[in-house]
Amino acid sequence: MTTHAPTPISATKRSFTAALCLSAAMLMGGSALAAGSSDTDAERLERWRDIAKSIFGDRTIEPTDALIKVDAPPRALDASLVPITLMMPEKDRIAAVHLIIDDNPSPYAAHITFGPAADPSEVKLRVRINNYTNVHAVAETKDGKLYEAVKFVKASGGCSAPMGMSDEEALKGAGDMKMKFAEGGQGKPTEATLMVRHPNFSGMQMNQVTRDYTPARYINKLDVSSNGTLVFSMNGDISIASNPVINFALAPDAKGPIKVVATDNQQGRWEHSFNTPTPSN
């Protein structure tokens, strides 16, 4: 298997992201018109090329309608909680997936690497979308090739949407986790839903009491393992919605307790274990 490491979501980038988010919030000034709503297809394509080069360098990315698909609402009901489904029909070929929201202040939303205990056929998560934008999903195959799918979503202001509570209230119970399982049956994948309590402050949200911008604080890594074997590892950024919810599937032969380790960009760390259901016929 050939491995290719993408440009990491580094500490330097995170500092830049916080500054960029604050500038974007100030520039928005409550404008109802999404900044990207009038962009042409050519402008969007040029922006995507720049983003892809910054993440993947000179590697070739081929379009596909078979290896990965993106399902998202054409118009978001809530720009701060946009459901995204990544479907990978040829799951045995997939090593990782990259989620990029082109017009967000920090476009590289998530990088998910699958382990031996995963069934990578489908992943669901919720994101923030700040402008009318293309959402790109790039599948990385086990032989190191890249394939992209894209979906256009109309949304505005998701990164700056307030929490509706004080920062202190939003941080209460940070790191608490729950996991639900849907019984897959003998020899079938087990679907799981991981819920993590964390405000995932974007750096663009204004504290409704102090009128200052809340510093960015968000989960930057999730590691999920089954009996010591990796299910998936996800590096995230400010585009992941508050109180992250991740739907994924365990391989049919994955056995034993599920361990989840979450960290955030301010040295927060939390670890929880969950018992998996016993398969039935």
Side-chain angles (χ1 to χ4, degrees):
M1 171 181 170
T2 304
T3 58
H4 298 264
T7 302
I9 309 177
S10 65
T12 301
K13 179 189 169 187
R14 293 184 192 284
S15 299
F16 173 74
T17 294
L20 179 61
C21 290
L22 179 56
S23 299
M26 295 173 68
L27 287 170
M28 282 173 63
S31 170
L33 179 63
S37 61
S38 61
D39 289 354
T40 65
D41 289 344
E43 288 171 325
R44 294 189 188 283
L45 179 58
E46 185 63 27
R47 185 178 301 118
W48 166 239
R49 286 171 175 166
D50 289 342
I51 294 169
K53 186 173 180 62
S54 72
I55 297 173
F56 303 106
D58 294 327
R59 297 171 65 188
T60 299
I61 307 175
E62 299 287 347
T64 182
D65 58 3
L67 282 176
I68 187 162
K69 303 175 188 290
V70 185
D71 186 35
R75 184 181 293 274
L77 295 176
D78 184 342
S80 65
L81 287 170
V82 183
I84 301 287
T85 301
L86 307 175
M87 296 163 286
M88 290 149 282
E90 298 183 38
K91 60 184 181 180
D92 293 337
R93 296 180 60 188
I94 305 300
V97 63
H98 309 260
L99 179 63
I100 297 105
I101 304 171
D102 294 15
D103 286 279
N104 270 12
S106 182
Y108 197 3
H111 173 211
I112 303 171
T113 302
F114 299 104
D119 180 294
S121 56
E122 185 175 279
V123 176
K124 296 180 181 179
L125 67 167
R126 303 184 303 186
V127 300
R128 298 175 169 123
I129 294 183
N130 213 50
N131 290 319
Y132 287 31
T133 185
N134 281 329
V135 176
H136 279 89
V138 178
E140 185 163 3
T141 56
K142 293 178 180 178
D143 59 2
K145 295 180 180 179
L146 301 174
Y147 299 88
E148 64 161 308
V150 62
K151 185 87 172 185
F152 183 71
V153 178
K154 294 179 179 180
S156 182
C159 291
S160 59
M163 293 288 295
M165 62 185 75
S166 70
D167 296 350
E168 292 74 19
E169 288 176 306
L171 282 165
K172 282 182 180 177
D176 288 350
M177 301 184 198
K178 294 181 180 179
M179 188 174 289
K180 296 180 180 179
F181 298 94
E183 187 175 344
Q186 192 71 37
K188 296 181 179 179
T190 298
E191 295 182 10
T193 302
L194 170 64
M195 295 159 280
V196 183
R197 184 170 178 81
H198 196 288
N200 265 18
F201 292 132
S202 67
M204 293 176 63
Q205 295 150 313
M206 181 180 285
N207 185 302
Q208 301 301 297
V209 176
T210 66
R211 310 305 291 175
D212 293 326
Y213 287 97
T214 302
R217 181 169 185 176
Y218 51 88
I219 290 177
N220 57 9
K221 191 166 186 185
L222 273 173
D223 289 318
V224 179
S225 59
S226 172
N227 201 28
T229 301
L230 180 67
V231 180
F232 72 87
S233 180
M234 185 181 88
N235 292 88
D237 214 311
I238 65 164
S239 293
I240 302 300
S242 61
N243 300 318
V245 176
I246 313 291
N247 293 78
F248 61 97
L250 300 164
D253 58 352
K255 295 179 175 61
I258 303 294
K259 184 172 81 171
V260 181
V261 178
T263 61
D264 72 15
N265 66 318
Q266 293 192 22
Q267 287 71 57
R269 185 185 185 280
W270 304 273
E271 181 177 321
H272 289 267
S273 292
F274 304 91
N275 292 321
T276 53
T278 302
S280 60
N281 294 323

